[in-house]
Amino acid sequence: MIRVLIPARGGSKRIPNKNLLKVDGHSLVGRAIMVGKKITDNVWVSTDSDKIKLESFKYNSYIHNRKNEHATDHSPTIDTILDFLSEYKDTTTLVLLQCTTPFTNYEDVLRG
């Protein structure tokens, strides 16, 4: 099964709530979800933030409840990916999209 995973923790210290900032009318997390939806309807946001969860629901994504130990300033993204894959073992292809690259588009993903 193809899945898109968007890691979006809520605890940015340099730019508070950065994943909720808007670019061209859409939040950063919303923009990533929109790109993911062009790949599959199976788009997941991994977050520890209730605000990001609510925003993600507006774009019809699924939520992966990110564990606290994977949501610190020093947590590598790979830990979140491995935790996600341990729960969804039938994933055959995982596309990772980052909120902090808001101009990534579907064609960029295809070029991989």
Side-chain angles (χ1 to χ4, degrees), residues 9 13 66 68-77 79:
R9 71 181 188 93
K13 290 188 172 84
R66 194 165 178 171
N68 289 336
E69 63 263 29
H70 302 307
T72 70
D73 288 341
H74 303 291
S75 300
T77 303
D79 290 347

Side-chain angles (χ1 to χ4, degrees), residues 3 5-7 44-48 63-71 75-91 94 96:
R3 289 190 169 91
L5 181 64
I6 302 166
W44 292 77
V45 175
S46 180
T47 189
D48 60 326
I63 299 297
H64 173 255
N65 290 304
R66 194 165 178 171
K67 294 177 180 172
N68 289 336
E69 63 263 29
H70 302 307
S75 300
T77 303
I78 190 67
D79 290 347
T80 298
I81 294 168
L82 292 173
D83 182 53
F84 179 81
L85 291 173
S86 74
E87 291 183 42
Y88 301 98
K89 294 180 183 351
D90 63 338
T91 302
L94 184 68
L96 180 71

